[in-house]
Amino acid sequence: MITVHKNSDGALIEIELSGEVTSADYTSTLVPAIEAALAEHDAVRLLVIVGPEFKGYDLGAAWEDTKLGLSHWRGFDRAAVVADKGWVQTSVRLAAPLMPCPVQVFELAELEEARRWIRESLGAIHIVDLGGPCVQVSLMGKLDPEEYEKAEADLDAILGDRDAFRLLIDLREFDGWQGLTALAAHFRLARGHVGMLDRAAIVGDKAWQNIAQRVGGHILGTRTQFFPSEEIENAKAWLAAG
């Protein structure tokens, strides 16, 4: 049986699995709830509570589970599974690297912690005016689309009436994006101010960040330079020069 809890709202769906889950549970309960949420939101967050009496799926439900994942592959922003059964925890951890969104496993005693994790952002964007034409944007943790919406408003406020600016992108504590919708929001933020950007310095450690600097130069259409983490002051000086 699949039960959609009444406190599910907006882009967050909380469900509970009990007994044996059948294909009818998917078609009559879970799929309509997900599709209704996706009709109003780009992506949904799914909290799955596996009760102690859960016995597993029948073959029809297993097929429906596969179809649901494939048909809504880009529709999941984050997923949490709360379960005490070892085989359920192991199955989820094995599947997690293949999922297009962050997946976390919790025990039943950690249900409230799982609810906090599913609701809260796992990352943050800090924007600082460095003076003159220079602005620093620090990306931290794993970012979701909501953080980019806040950052866009903050960046608009700092830029004000400026005709141009120079950007320091600090990736020293950046772990990536929470799914494809966050990645899309990242590029929307960049494109929204690209016409004003004079030059950009990217500071980080990971090899992919160095590659991102080269790709970013083409996307942003301006001069970019990569600096390792220990050279952040050199990056600021490069931005301010000339």
Side-chain angles (χ1 to χ4, degrees):
M1 178 185 296
I2 298 178
T3 303
V4 177
H5 286 275
K6 293 181 180 180
N7 62 344
S8 298
D9 58 86
L12 171 60
I13 300 174
E14 182 174 318
I15 68 171
E16 184 169 1
L17 307 184
S18 60
E20 184 179 59
V21 174
T22 68
S23 59
D25 294 322
Y26 272 84
T27 56
S28 64
T29 304
L30 183 56
V31 172
I34 290 177
E35 292 185 343
L38 287 175
E40 298 182 1
H41 303 274
D42 291 334
V44 298
R45 296 181 180 183
L46 186 63
L47 175 61
V48 182
I49 304 169
V50 181
E53 69 281 8
F54 176 65
K55 298 178 181 179
Y57 301 91
D58 67 14
L59 290 178
W63 172 237
E64 291 297 333
D65 187 62
T66 301
K67 289 197 298 181
L68 177 66
L70 292 176
S71 60
H72 298 291
W73 182 253
R74 298 186 179 185
F76 296 102
D77 181 58
R78 192 186 306 180
V81 177
V82 183
D84 282 344
K85 295 181 181 294
W87 68 268
V88 173
Q89 296 175 349
T90 300
S91 299
V92 173
R93 291 189 176 107
L94 289 174
L98 304 177
M99 293 294 291
C101 66
V103 178
Q104 186 72 35
V105 178
F106 299 86
E107 295 184 355
L108 287 173
E110 300 172 319
L111 177 57
E112 291 307 314
E113 181 180 343
R115 286 178 173 142
R116 287 194 297 272
W117 181 83
I118 205 75
R119 290 181 179 276
E120 295 175 354
S121 173
L122 302 182
I125 301 176
H126 294 165
I127 300 179
V128 179
D129 190 342
L130 298 177
C134 302
V135 176
Q136 177 174 337
V137 176
S138 299
L139 309 183
M140 308 173 69
K142 276 189 172 290
L143 297 174
D144 57 28
E146 288 80 3
E147 290 301 316
Y148 282 101
E149 292 176 7
K150 299 175 187 175
E152 187 168 9
D154 292 341
L155 188 57
D156 287 341
I158 288 178
L159 294 181
D161 297 328
R162 298 184 191 183
D163 295 326
F165 73 105
R166 297 178 179 182
L167 182 62
L168 173 63
I169 305 174
D170 182 2
L171 302 178
R172 292 176 297 170
E173 299 182 48
F174 181 51
D175 295 325
W177 299 275
Q178 289 186 43
L180 297 175
T181 54
L183 176 59
H186 179 92
F187 286 107
R188 285 198 300 270
L189 176 64
R191 287 199 305 267
H193 301 89
V194 69
M196 301 171 60
L197 186 59
D198 179 54
R199 67 170 67 177
I202 299 177
V203 179
D205 290 318
K206 300 179 178 65
W208 70 264
Q209 294 173 355
N210 196 340
I211 296 172
Q213 176 264 319
R214 302 173 190 174
V215 176
H218 295 289
I219 295 174
L220 299 174
T222 190
R223 184 182 178 188
T224 62
Q225 181 69 41
F226 182 85
F227 296 84
S229 292
E230 64 272 13
E231 294 185 17
I232 187 169
E233 294 304 320
N234 291 340
K236 293 179 181 179
W238 179 78
L239 280 181

